[in-house]
Amino acid sequence: MNARVKEPLILIDDQKKTFKVARNNFIDSEVLQAERDRIFGNCWLYVGHGSELNKPGDFMMREVGGRSILFAKDREGVVRAMYNTCPHRGAQVCRERSGNAKSFQCFYHGWVFGLDGKLRSQPGEEAYPEGFKDDPSSSLSVVKRMESYRDLYFICFDDDAVSLDTYLGNAKEYLDLICDQAEDGLEIVRGAQEYAINANWKLLTENSIDGYHAASTHATYMDYLKSTDGGLTSVALTGYGRDLGNGHAVIEYAAPWGRPVAQWIPMWGETGKKEIGEILARLEARHGKERAERIAYKNRNLHIFPNLIINDIMALTVRTYFPKSESEMQVNAWAAAPRGESGWARKFRLFNFLEFLGPGGFATPDDVEALEHCQRGYLNSREVRWNDISKGMSQATPAMTDEEQMRAFWKQWNARMTGMQAGA
Amino acid sequence: MNAETIGLASNAVSRAEVEDFLYYEAELLDAWRLPEWLQLFTEDATYEVPTTNLPADASSDENLFYIADDRFRLGERVKRLMKRAAHAEFPHSKTRHIVANVSLRGRDVGRLDISCSFVTYRTKDSATHLFFGTLRYQLVQAEGQLRIRCKRVLLDTDGLRQQGRLSIIL
Ligand code: FES
Ligand SMILES: [Fe+2]
């Protein structure tokens, strides 16, 4: 890395209780180069949800950590992630975004692979030596490390990485709270929002767990809620932010909007009241009153280091994002929902999702605008060098509007980038 | 000709009249005369932009869209976009809505199903992005004038990778 990268990436002053992040981290292509190796080459990265591969033969083509990945389920129900490149001369074997297949054929010279990636046949087989087909290098390469937690599948390009379970650590408590809202597991709703932001990927990590910006950035969303007929409860927006270790973080809070599992708002009327009441009763039966109420009434914006966000808010969204360059990222966002929920609940969930979330929502576009303007502001980063994320650092229990969550991210990021990280 | 002057006997509306209506709509959008634009919609109208890997007739009750507004939320979208605090559109971007290839897909008494191709350019902060695809309208006749009951935008793009966001109205 160049001279400027050798300067500290973050500055923590425990005496003064300040935490600074070098703006160079957002604009330097050598920082990104190092991230590709030390972050995306080493961390567990979300690839997809089990519900996206329902039937044997279902597959999805995904770009994960800069790799082209084929995520597929074979006849026996085994889920794999394979590198989507032909062992012959490299062409991408799968060229469809998703579908159902019996086998995968590379169109270049016609090699055919099974759903498990094994080479089945090649045109002109007689010209190959005996045993050629059985050599592992003749088949699609499988990503060695793929593990799942509650049907969320992750892959890791570091063969020596700790287990996903260890990696997730304290974040599992919150993943459980999120997944426990469903009796029969969560599923991804059909339709993916795929967009892009002209900003460094780390700005979206920060933004997704930032409870500080809502009042000013999302003033028009709040106006909208107020003008709806019964779109709000009297619940105040309050909660805390927590560093979960390993770079993961969460904000957990009460909020005035409706939650399909399960906070009723007057707009949902009597039908809704009954539906929500039943959902709550079943939650209580499964988890006891205290936990049921936490699941139902608390919102969670959970960040799994480095680039997975699960927001359990007025709807449930799973979002992952990858850098295209130091100043561009691609974002994929899905709606998740309890399998088998009623048509009523699904409809309101999706209606809720779109009022806030996504590139056509009443809030996300303003987030995007903010991130892009940060990125542009960093044009001045040689002269104006530091971001400040000290808010709430002297607080014993940081609030959701403090910046503890971002500090959690940056500490881990710094440790990995400088090779100082301990354990996971 | 503008919407105010389109009078139609049911089933007797011409392609030219429909085109004039669509051009007028485009003109209002390009001029950011959104409150007037909203008046082109019926009280039970919907405005939808599905995500780009869904079938053309997918329902927003079961699938994730980019936008699925009922009339109330469409009104709120307009209110929001006219505010300074709609940061994504402050200052307003410059847009150019172009509609072409208008075809009548079906008609019933007082109701027309129209489809057309569209290209919309959006310029903001020195960058220009392109949106294109098919617009599907359900038009109805209300008080002698054409009104939009349903407008569905079918994008031909792979998601919004180039455009980033959908903060304007297509
Ligand atoms: S590159 Fe795939 S068969 Fe030759
Ligand atoms: Fe936000």
Side-chain angles (χ1 to χ4, degrees), chain A residues 25-41:
Chain A
N25 298 337
F26 297 95
I27 58 164
D28 192 318
S29 60
E30 292 185 46
V31 169
L32 176 62
Q33 233 20 68
E35 285 174 338
R36 290 202 192 283
D37 181 37
R38 298 170 206 175
I39 307 281
F40 294 101

Side-chain angles (χ1 to χ4, degrees), chain A residues 97 189-196 198 216-220 223-224 227-229 330-335 343 346-347 350-355 357 359-363 365-366 368-369 372-373 376, chain B residues 51-55 58-70 72-74 76-80 83-90 122 124-125 129 158-167:
Chain A
R97 304 285 310 275
V189 175
R190 196 160 65 144
Q193 296 187 337
E194 299 169 329
Y195 53 108
N198 286 320
S216 56
T217 301
H218 301 312
T220 61
D223 291 348
Y224 158 75
S227 65
T228 55
D229 189 8
Q330 291 196 335
V331 187
N332 300 316
W334 298 273
R346 184 62 58 93
K347 180 181 149 102
L350 292 173
F351 191 83
N352 265 11
F353 187 109
L354 295 186
E355 74 185 14
L357 292 161
F362 285 8
D366 295 336
V368 170
E369 184 76 3
E372 293 187 346
H373 280 269
R376 272 185 232 136
Chain B
T51 50
T52 55
N53 292 308
L54 293 175
S59 160
S60 61
D61 292 352
E62 291 162 11
N63 298 277
L64 182 64
F65 279 29
Y66 287 115
I67 294 173
D69 285 348
D70 59 12
F72 172 76
R73 195 157 73 185
L74 186 59
E76 292 297 310
R77 184 176 297 278
V78 164
K79 265 201 241 163
R80 181 181 122 75
K83 287 178 188 165
R84 225 186 129 86
H87 310 292
E89 283 299 331
F90 180 81
R122 170 181 185 258
K124 184 153 195 297
D125 297 322
H129 292 120
D158 268 344
L160 296 169
R161 292 288 193 222
Q162 307 299 321
Q163 304 77 4
R165 66 176 101 149
L166 209 47
S167 47

Side-chain angles (χ1 to χ4, degrees), chain A residues 18-322:
Chain A
T18 58
F19 196 117
K20 306 277 180 189
V21 175
R23 293 183 174 178
N24 190 57
N25 298 337
F26 297 95
I27 58 164
D28 192 318
S29 60
E30 292 185 46
V31 169
L32 176 62
Q33 233 20 68
E35 285 174 338
R36 290 202 192 283
D37 181 37
R38 298 170 206 175
I39 307 281
F40 294 101
N42 270 312
C43 292
W44 283 98
L45 305 174
Y46 178 74
V47 58
H49 191 268
S51 65
E52 294 177 282
L53 305 177
N54 262 323
K55 297 185 299 298
D58 281 356
F59 67 86
M60 315 279 313
M61 182 172 69
R62 292 260 154 93
E63 210 175 298
V64 179
R67 280 79 165 170
S68 173
I69 298 293
L70 184 50
F71 181 52
K73 184 180 238 176
D74 73 12
R75 293 279 143 217
E76 281 69 51
V78 179
V79 172
R80 281 183 193 78
M82 294 171 277
Y83 296 98
N84 185 19
T85 179
C86 184
H88 179 222
R89 302 239 299 267
Q92 278 191 319
V93 172
C94 176
R95 297 185 300 147
E96 287 166 290
R97 304 285 310 275
S98 63
N100 186 274
K102 290 196 168 60
S103 57
F104 300 109
Q105 180 169 28
C106 176
F107 84 98
Y108 194 5
H109 308 91
W111 288 24
V112 177
F113 307 90
L115 292 167
D116 57 359
K118 293 243 168 59
L119 177 62
R120 287 242 198 93
S121 65
Q122 322 112 279
E125 250 177 277
E126 60 287 354
Y128 284 96
E130 209 180 313
F132 183 85
K133 254 203 322 232
D134 300 323
D135 189 302
S137 71
S138 303
S139 289
L140 289 175
S141 286
V142 172
V143 181
K144 288 201 190 70
R145 302 298 302 278
M146 181 176 73
E147 291 172 23
S148 68
Y149 186 77
R150 304 215 49 177
D151 231 12
L152 299 157
Y153 282 81
F154 294 76
I155 54 179
C156 182
F157 304 120
D158 173 9
D159 295 348
D160 303 320
V162 297
S163 70
L164 176 65
D165 202 78
T166 307
Y167 180 85
L168 292 175
N170 297 329
K172 286 184 294 179
E173 175 188 346
Y174 291 88
L175 284 171
D176 288 342
L177 285 163
I178 292 166
C179 296
D180 282 348
Q181 64 182 279
E183 292 181 69
D184 194 20
L186 293 171
E187 67 181 0
I188 298 293
V189 175
R190 196 160 65 144
Q193 296 187 337
E194 299 169 329
Y195 53 108
I197 305 177
N198 286 320
N200 186 273
W201 67 277
K202 299 185 289 299
L203 281 164
L204 187 54
T205 290
E206 292 189 331
N207 174 261
S208 302
I209 45 174
D210 176 357
Y212 187 18
H213 74 288
S216 56
T217 301
H218 301 312
T220 61
Y221 171 70
M222 298 300 169
D223 291 348
Y224 158 75
L225 284 183
K226 278 178 222 144
S227 65
T228 55
D229 189 8
L232 283 175
T233 62
S234 56
V235 174
L237 194 64
T238 57
Y240 64 85
R242 197 177 150 201
D243 176 345
L244 298 171
N246 292 358
H248 315 315
V250 71
I251 51 177
E252 191 174 32
Y253 55 101
W257 49 69
R259 288 169 50 80
V261 181
Q263 178 166 286
W264 179 80
I265 44 173
M267 193 200 253
W268 292 344
E270 288 308 308
T271 322
K273 202 170 208 166
K274 197 165 154 273
E275 288 260 1
I276 292 287
E278 284 163 11
I279 293 170
L280 258 177
R282 288 201 300 274
L283 263 184
E284 259 187 61
R286 295 202 305 279
H287 302 289
K289 194 170 164 61
E290 196 184 329
R291 185 173 174 80
E293 287 183 351
R294 186 174 173 199
I295 292 170
Y297 300 139
K298 288 290 191 300
N299 296 266
R300 283 158 284 269
N301 297 41
L302 174 64
H303 175 246
I304 306 290
F305 189 90
N307 66 335
L308 174 65
I309 297 288
I310 303 181
N311 283 350
D312 174 12
I313 46 181
M314 70 291 296
L316 185 56
T317 179
V318 177
R319 180 194 294 158
T320 179
Y321 41 97
F322 294 99

Side-chain angles (χ1 to χ4, degrees), chain B residues 84-120:
Chain B
R84 225 186 129 86
H87 310 292
E89 283 299 331
F90 180 81
H92 281 157
S93 53
K94 289 182 237 174
T95 70
R96 183 61 50 187
H97 292 73
I98 297 167
V99 289
N101 306 3
V102 176
S103 77
L104 177 60
R105 293 163 49 87
R107 65 164 87 212
D108 206 336
V109 177
R111 170 187 150 180
L112 287 173
D113 292 333
I114 300 295
S115 111
C116 68
S117 301
F118 78 95
V119 180
T120 296

